[in-house]
Amino acid sequence: MARRRTQADTPGAKGSAKGDASRTPVLPLRDLVHFPSVSATIHVAREPSVRAIRKALQGDQKVLVLSQRDMSVEEVGLADLYRVGTLSEVLQAMPMPDGSMRVAIRGIGRAEATEVYQNEGAFSADVDAWEEVEYIDLEVEAAMRMAVETYTAIVESNRAIPPETIQTVSLADFPGALADVIAHHLPLKPSEKQELLEIRDPARRLDGVLRFLKKEEQLLVLNSKIQEKVEKELGDAQREFYLREQLKAIQQELSESEESDEADEYRRKVEEAGLPADALKRAIREIDRLGRSPASSPEGQVQRNYLDLLVSLPWNELTLDSVDILEAEKVLDEQHFGLKPAKERILDLLAVHKLRRAPLGQVICFLGPPGVGKTSIAKSIADALGRRFVRIALGGVRDEAEVRGHRRTYVGAMPGRIIQGLQHCGSRNPVVLLDEIDKLAHDGQGDPVSALLEVLDAEQNSRFVDHYVEAPFDISQVIFIATANSLHRVPGPLLDRMEIIEFPTYTDEERVKIAEKYLIPRSIHDHGLDPSQLSFRSSAIAHIVRHYAPEAGVRHLDRLIATVCRKAARAIAEGQVLSMEVSPALLIQYLGRPPYDRNQDLSTGEIGTVSSLVVGDFGGAVMTVEVSLMPPASGTPTLKLTGNLGGVMRESAEAALTCVRASLPKLGITEPFCYDVHIHVPEGAIPKDGPSAGLSIALAILSAATNRPVRPRIAVTGEITLRGKVLGVGGVRDKLLAAFRANCREAIIPHENLIELEDIDPEVRNVLNVTAVKSFGDAIKAALEDPV
């Protein structure tokens, strides 16, 4: 009984619609023909081919593989390409040091280029994918069996064809796929393979392959007879001469020469690279295996990729450190405003490094909200040391192999990000920035934190082993710097290996100076202007800072300044004005109305409402805590919490309620506290958690229970205990800056944090009246007014 397979049984693609955006990139091949159902690795060196691969990677990874009519043509044109080829998927593309690529592709189906276009040296085409209907009857099944048997006999006689291809051929279920796989491995001329590729009917294509198989079988028999005859007639010397002449003829036919022997070339590169003993042993073993592998075998391509990586790694490349402490201090002051504690610690690090002439082994972690200069100051450290700089983004990394590499047994294996970064910079002792180390993720594939523990441990990283390299690589000379927005998401073992340097939130005055000194001159230059054409009034800069960008860092401020520069550049380019001075009035025209109202009072003296100071990944903030009391609906008082509160904050609310109920008799209130308590924190779409709001919640509950209004323009932070003690909290400086930006005039903080007021900027201390409290009773006196 006949079996049929339609196009739906195999992956494919329909013809692309007209238009540049829908055209398929064309990959021209000079010396081979690619077939459907076949995966191959090719070396792409010509510019049109490289551009086609890059365009495919930017889109749906599809590319139309077309062969050249004349293999000797170097500068290929439209007329040099066949119109029938293979629609393929780009599985992997690895850039090589010389600008070429090693590309792994998989054939999807036959396709015809109905129209081919050439633009800027690259080819693209409108593609008509051929729908192939495969069928099997008794005659076709007999032909398939004969093809497999003949191919097996040829492989056993021809050492140039890998023996493992026999299993691949025997697994083909349909005549078309069987014909394609055999045609791919047979040593046919490109024109003969193209002839087979253009046959649409699978049965006819299998018949064509059978003709070539019979021809190849006859050639092998004839070659065997000639070989036996020659061996009988020639002596040892003549036989050796004949074999060498035969080898030269074969090499000339394949456009190769003895001087370009691949294995010898890799041996030369390995000797020049100066690999250590372990890596050298592995490299020699892979070169020997490569010399025994057929040029077109997939295993050979894996070996080439591995050897290319080994010889390109900086095993012995070290940059000389040139540490001038005074010059480094000058550079840090010129490139970064403020950040005095962080600069002092960095200069201490450079001084120790200069005296020891080697890294101390400590890993520094820059902690602070986004936009405060963590990454840029790490780059400045590399400049001060005269070292190269590598940034490795860890945000979202969830696989251990991203750090330690994949084992070469996997398809598409690659080295880890550490080895890739060292290969890219070409140095064994760069400054490596591990960006966003608090954003690491976990899943079943592996734990990246465990891999980083080895990387950051000075006792282990002198023999760091990447799974792909499989040889120890010394990274002990690398200076690692990490960045994080929040410590509570940094895993404990990693945190134990790092020294934390905090990058505080900028004050408004600091951000105004940063805008004047750095952001505005850079943005004016980037937009093609000069200071004579565009300038900003000091009042305009302050207006942007206070009303448009009340943030911890300067990223949003930089974007707003760029927006103003774009508007001004357009006005000057259109000839509306010759020069412009930006004033506060002009900002409304360019930036719209301010999204933030600096003059609003988050605490207006309401009953049951308290402004609470919190700190998160983006610096300090002020949130409102609202409490409403109602008679119990079911006879039993309940506590209801809303506003997307986390587990810690919910427990703080329960502790605050217990503290308030215990404090009522001390305040002269003898009536039982029997109410349903509803605590709400607005902006419910934003998750909120932490113990800092415990004191705020307790004051809000007491205010609602006693009808005592909260003092206006006051903000509160602190953790509350069941017995009314107020415990210290973190991030006080950022919280007080948030209260200052929110136009508060009073703040209540725990007494344990009183010493931190020395770090508060004078601008904030002169405006905020800060009260430090030890107990809930102290907070009541400072925050609540007399009953209404």
Side-chain angles (χ1 to χ4, degrees):
M1 182 176 181
R3 291 185 296 156
R4 300 180 65 85
R5 187 184 72 161
T6 65
Q7 181 69 13
D9 295 322
T10 56
K14 295 183 178 180
S16 302
K18 303 293 183 183
D20 290 340
S22 61
R23 293 172 187 162
T24 302
V26 172
L27 175 61
L29 295 183
R30 179 168 55 180
D31 52 358
L32 58 88
V33 176
H34 186 53
F35 285 88
S37 303
V38 173
S39 297
T41 302
I42 58 177
H43 182 209
V44 176
R46 293 186 295 181
E47 187 62 25
S49 304
V50 173
R51 292 184 179 182
I53 295 300
R54 289 175 177 169
K55 185 177 179 182
L57 292 174
Q58 294 172 357
D60 58 0
Q61 296 185 299
K62 300 296 188 302
V63 64
L64 178 63
V65 180
L66 298 180
S67 298
Q68 289 182 207
R69 299 179 185 273
D70 186 357
M71 301 301 165
S72 63
V73 175
E74 177 64 28
E75 299 292 337
V76 63
L78 295 176
D80 299 319
L81 298 175
Y82 289 102
R83 289 300 186 265
V84 176
T86 301
L87 186 64
S88 304
E89 179 183 13
V90 179
L91 302 177
Q92 182 185 11
M94 177 174 290
M96 306 303 294
D98 59 355
S100 61
M101 286 186 173
R102 294 283 188 182
V103 181
I105 58 175
R106 178 177 64 85
I108 298 176
R110 284 169 170 75
E112 181 178 2
T114 57
E115 191 70 38
V116 182
Y117 308 89
Q118 186 173 10
N119 184 19
E120 297 181 355
F123 298 98
S124 59
D126 296 329
V127 177
D128 179 22
W130 289 1
E131 182 176 356
E132 182 167 292
V133 179
E134 294 204 5
Y135 56 90
I136 296 180
D137 53 25
L138 291 179
E139 183 178 353
V140 171
E141 189 169 354
M144 292 176 62
R145 186 175 300 176
M146 180 180 296
V148 173
E149 293 173 354
T150 307
Y151 180 81
T152 302
I154 291 173
V155 171
E156 293 173 351
S157 302
N158 189 348
R159 295 182 180 180
I161 303 177
E164 57 266 22
T165 61
I166 295 176
Q167 183 178 4
T168 304
V169 168
S170 63
L171 293 177
D173 295 329
F174 295 91
L178 177 63
D180 289 341
V181 175
I182 293 177
H184 171 73
H185 292 290
L186 276 181
L188 304 178
K189 297 179 181 179
S191 58
E192 294 173 335
K193 291 190 176 184
Q194 182 67 29
E195 176 186 342
L196 293 173
L197 181 67
E198 295 183 2
I199 299 177
R200 300 189 65 161
D201 182 67
R204 285 185 55 234
R205 193 185 316 137
L206 183 60
D207 291 338
V209 169
L210 278 172
R211 289 196 303 271
F212 285 113
L213 284 172
K214 291 298 182 183
K215 178 181 176 182
E216 184 67 22
E217 190 177 40
Q218 293 173 1
L219 287 174
L220 288 174
V221 173
L222 183 59
N223 184 67
S224 178
K225 291 180 179 179
I226 294 175
Q227 189 72 21
E228 292 177 0
K229 182 179 179 181
V230 169
E231 288 179 354
K232 291 179 181 179
E233 296 178 355
L234 299 179
D236 291 340
Q238 291 175 317
R239 179 174 176 273
E240 183 178 352
F241 173 78
Y242 170 79
L243 290 175
R244 290 189 179 277
E245 291 299 317
Q246 189 180 44
L247 179 60
K248 289 181 181 179
I250 294 173
Q251 289 176 337
Q252 290 174 358
E253 183 70 16
L254 297 175
S255 300
E256 296 179 352
S257 63
E258 290 189 37
E259 290 74 22
S260 62
D261 182 77
E262 195 172 26
D264 291 341
E265 180 68 16
Y266 274 118
R267 286 190 178 91
R268 182 186 63 80
K269 291 181 178 179
V270 167
E271 292 176 359
E272 294 176 353
L275 273 64
D278 292 337
L280 180 61
K281 181 179 179 181
R282 292 185 177 276
I284 292 175
R285 184 173 64 187
E286 292 298 325
I287 291 173
D288 293 339
R289 293 176 61 189
L290 179 64
R292 296 192 300 266
S293 300
S296 59
S297 68
E299 183 182 0
Q301 184 56 47
V302 173
Q303 293 162 350
R304 292 185 191 93
N305 294 339
Y306 178 68
L307 290 171
D308 287 335
L309 174 70
L310 283 185
V311 299
S312 63
L313 284 177
W315 298 96
N316 303 301
E317 296 295 329
L318 291 170
T319 56
L320 297 178
D321 293 340
S322 56
V323 184
D324 187 334
I325 305 300
L326 296 179
E327 182 64 24
E329 183 177 8
K330 180 181 177 182
V331 170
L332 290 175
D333 289 337
E334 288 179 351
Q335 297 181 359
H336 307 277
F337 184 84
L339 304 176
K340 184 176 180 180
K343 290 179 182 177
E344 290 292 332
R345 179 60 185 89
I346 291 168
L347 292 174
D348 294 344
L349 169 72
L350 296 181
V352 173
H353 184 82
K354 180 178 181 179
L355 296 177
R356 293 186 77 250
R357 301 182 182 275
L360 191 58
Q362 290 180 324
V363 179
I364 294 176
C365 179
F366 292 159
L367 174 67
V372 294
K374 300 187 296 296
T375 301
S376 59
I377 208 167
K379 179 68 168 62
S380 297
I381 293 175
D383 295 339
L385 287 170
R387 293 192 176 199
R388 295 167 188 171
F389 180 73
V390 178
R391 176 183 175 270
I392 299 177
L394 297 179
V397 170
R398 60 180 65 251
D399 190 352
E400 176 189 0
E402 292 284 339
V403 179
R404 220 184 242 132
H406 303 78
R407 299 191 183 277
R408 287 190 291 134
T409 53
Y410 295 103
V411 177
M414 297 180 67
R417 297 194 181 192
I418 302 296
I419 292 297
Q420 289 184 42
L422 297 178
Q423 179 192 21
H424 181 266
C425 77
S427 171
R428 190 162 59 85
N429 64 336
V431 174
V432 174
L433 178 68
L434 303 175
D435 207 8
E436 296 180 326
I437 200 168
D438 57 330
K439 305 298 191 304
L440 286 170
H442 302 265
D443 66 4
Q445 295 181 347
D447 183 6
V449 174
S450 300
L452 280 176
L453 292 178
E454 179 185 358
V455 173
L456 301 181
D457 193 334
E459 301 297 328
Q460 304 181 50
N461 59 15
S462 61
R463 293 184 60 83
F464 171 69
V465 178
D466 184 277
H467 288 162
Y468 185 86
V469 178
E470 295 182 331
F473 192 93
D474 185 4
I475 60 174
S476 61
Q477 299 295 315
V478 176
I479 294 180
F480 289 101
I481 299 176
T483 67
N485 299 134
S486 176
L487 278 186
H488 74 273
R489 286 206 297 265
V490 179
L494 276 182
L495 193 60
D496 182 59
R497 283 167 168 78
M498 297 187 297
E499 178 183 352
I500 306 301
I501 298 180
E502 292 193 18
F503 279 59
T505 300
Y506 289 124
T507 64
D508 288 356
E509 181 181 356
E510 288 175 333
R511 291 192 293 132
V512 168
K513 292 181 179 179
I514 291 172
E516 291 177 340
K517 189 174 180 180
Y518 302 100
L519 304 183
I520 292 177
R522 184 182 64 193
S523 189
I524 289 176
H525 176 269
D526 291 345
H527 289 83
L529 303 171
D530 59 66
S532 64
Q533 293 175 302
L534 180 63
S535 61
F536 285 72
R537 293 182 185 176
S538 298
S539 57
I541 302 173
H543 194 75
I544 297 176
V545 168
R546 293 177 182 274
H547 297 278
Y548 289 88
E551 55 177 333
V554 293
R555 284 185 183 169
H556 187 50
L557 176 61
D558 192 19
R559 288 192 290 266
L560 293 173
I561 292 173
T563 300
V564 175
C565 290
R566 285 195 300 271
K567 299 288 187 181
R570 177 180 175 183
I572 294 173
E574 292 176 349
Q576 301 177 17
V577 293
L578 296 177
S579 62
M580 182 180 298
E581 183 182 43
V582 180
S583 63
L586 194 61
L587 292 176
I588 296 180
Q589 178 183 347
Y590 283 174
L591 300 179
R593 295 189 177 277
Y596 305 98
D597 184 7
R598 282 286 303 233
N599 297 318
Q600 68 175 347
D601 290 331
L602 295 179
S603 180
T604 57
E606 296 181 12
I607 296 175
T609 302
V610 176
S611 295
S612 180
L613 297 175
V614 296
V615 68
D617 293 350
F618 297 92
V622 180
M623 69 178 186
T624 302
V625 176
E626 298 178 342
V627 172
S628 180
L629 303 181
M630 297 163 289
S634 59
T636 302
T638 60
L639 173 62
K640 184 177 183 181
L641 304 172
T642 56
N644 203 352
L645 308 183
V648 176
M649 195 168 179
R650 287 177 173 271
E651 292 183 355
S652 295
E654 294 174 357
L657 177 59
T658 301
C659 176
V660 170
R661 298 181 66 176
S663 301
L664 289 177
K666 300 178 183 178
L667 299 175
I669 301 176
T670 57
E671 297 180 3
F673 185 87
C674 187
Y675 299 100
D676 284 344
V677 180
H678 186 174
I679 302 173
H680 177 68
V681 182
E683 297 185 67
I686 302 175
K688 311 169 189 71
D689 201 7
S692 299
L695 180 58
S696 307
I697 296 174
L699 289 173
I701 295 174
L702 184 62
S703 171
T706 60
N707 286 325
R708 296 178 64 176
V710 179
R711 292 171 61 87
R713 304 173 76 179
I714 191 171
V716 181
T717 185
E719 182 178 358
I720 192 76
T721 69
L722 294 177
R723 288 172 173 78
K725 293 183 180 180
V726 179
L727 304 181
V729 291
V732 170
R733 182 184 184 276
D734 289 345
K735 292 177 179 179
L736 294 181
L737 283 175
F740 173 75
R741 289 196 298 267
N743 206 28
C744 294
R745 290 298 175 264
E746 294 184 71
I748 297 177
I749 65 173
H751 191 271
E752 294 179 12
N753 298 113
L754 183 61
I755 192 173
E756 297 184 39
L757 290 181
E758 298 176 2
D759 301 329
I760 305 301
D761 302 272
E763 178 188 5
V764 179
R765 287 203 303 263
N766 295 336
V767 174
L768 273 180
N769 180 22
V770 180
T771 302
V773 299
K774 294 182 178 180
S775 64
F776 185 42
D778 296 339
I780 294 172
K781 296 175 184 178
L784 300 184
E785 296 181 343
D786 295 332
V788 177

